[in-house]
């Protein structure tokens, strides 16, 4: 866990809650810390499992509302993959480039040497650029190979003669 990123995220959350006269609940802070503790992307299911293991009770409504708040405050990033939302910390991701398989959810960091120089030279309007994040979505080679094998097997089944017709035809 990137403790500096979590500390910054907590400060942003504190400021928002204080200026908006909102309650500082244990659930909000616990969920923030939990999401920042995951090594990879996490789903609602992953979060709920972690909460159950720790015996920390959070209602489904609180969980979804808190995640929405974190997204609005740019504390976390939401990725949609094959109908499943996955989340990751947004703070502490300096010049981040990655690829995400939308089938299995595998995340691979990309090392693109020329990209930082290119993106740092993009003129911004009334904004001092601090970092960037690029995510490439697609299907990884393992998932493509699996899909191809499945299609070939299905095609073989369609082409093979049916065993129910043998001997029973008139």
């Amino acid at each position: 866990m990137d403790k500096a990123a979590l500390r910054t995220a907590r400060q942003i959350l504190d400021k928002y809650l204080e200026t908006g006269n909102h309650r500082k609940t244990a659930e909000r802070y616990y969920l923030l810390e939990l999401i920042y503790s995951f090594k990879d992307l996490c789903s609602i299911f992953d979060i709920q499992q972690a909460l159950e293991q720790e015996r920390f009770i959070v209602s489904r409504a609180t969980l979804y509302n808190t995640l929405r708040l974190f997204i609005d405050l740019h504390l976390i990033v939401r990725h949609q993959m094959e109908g499943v939302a996955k989340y990751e910390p947004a703070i502490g991701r300096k010049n981040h480039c990655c690829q995400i398989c939308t089938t299995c959810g595998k995340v691979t960091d990309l090392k693109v040497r020329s990209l930082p120089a290119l993106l740092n030279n993009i003129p911004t309007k009334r904004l001092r650029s601090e970092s960037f994040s690029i995510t490439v979505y697609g299907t990884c080679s393992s998932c493509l190979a699996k899909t191809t094998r499945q299609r070939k097997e299905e095609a073989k089944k369609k082409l093979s003669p049916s065993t129910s017709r043998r001997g029973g035809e008139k």
Side-chain angles (χ1 to χ4, degrees):
M1 174 189 324
D2 184 350
K3 292 187 180 195
L6 177 60
R7 202 170 26 256
T8 302
R10 286 182 67 97
Q11 290 170 349
I12 292 168
L13 182 58
D14 282 340
K15 186 176 180 180
Y16 168 79
L17 296 174
E18 289 168 5
T19 57
N21 243 358
H22 301 287
R23 294 183 316 130
K24 291 184 176 183
T25 64
E27 290 84 0
R28 287 176 174 153
Y29 289 99
Y30 189 81
L31 287 169
L32 183 67
E33 187 171 324
L34 183 63
I35 293 167
Y36 273 73
S37 71
F38 279 98
K39 224 177 175 183
D40 295 316
L41 301 176
C42 62
S43 66
I44 290 285
F45 179 75
D46 298 328
I47 295 168
Q48 287 174 327
Q49 270 192 321
L51 290 169
E52 286 174 14
Q53 285 178 350
E54 295 295 319
R55 296 191 173 144
F56 196 93
I57 299 169
V58 175
S59 73
R60 185 176 290 261
T62 297
L63 178 58
Y64 281 100
N65 290 335
T66 302
L67 290 174
R68 192 174 314 113
L69 171 66
F70 292 169
I71 290 167
D72 291 345
L73 293 175
H74 304 289
L75 300 177
I76 63 173
V77 176
R78 178 181 180 201
H79 303 280
Q80 193 68 29
M81 292 178 259
E82 291 289 307
V84 176
K86 300 252 182 157
Y87 304 89
E88 71 174 324
I91 297 175
R93 297 175 43 190
K94 289 273 184 191
N95 298 344
H96 183 252
C97 296
C98 70
Q99 63 185 26
I100 299 176
C101 177
T102 55
T103 303
C104 68
K106 180 180 177 185
V107 179
T108 308
D109 286 327
L110 301 174
K111 305 291 185 226
V112 185
R113 290 182 182 89
S114 59
L115 195 57
L118 177 68
L119 292 175
N120 285 332
N121 291 323
I122 292 175
T124 55
K125 295 182 180 183
R126 304 183 79 178
L127 176 79
R128 186 189 77 210
S129 177
E130 295 171 356
S131 66
F132 64 83
S133 177
I134 295 177
T135 305
V136 179
Y137 296 95
T139 307
C140 71
S141 58
S142 298
C143 290
L144 283 172
K146 183 178 177 181
T147 303
T148 302
R149 279 192 307 275
Q150 288 172 345
R151 286 183 183 155
K152 285 180 181 179
E153 288 172 9
E154 289 172 7
K156 282 181 184 178
K157 287 179 185 177
K158 288 180 182 177
L159 292 176
S160 66
S162 176
T163 57
S164 63
R165 291 185 179 176
R166 287 187 193 160
E169 291 183 8
K170 294 183 181 179

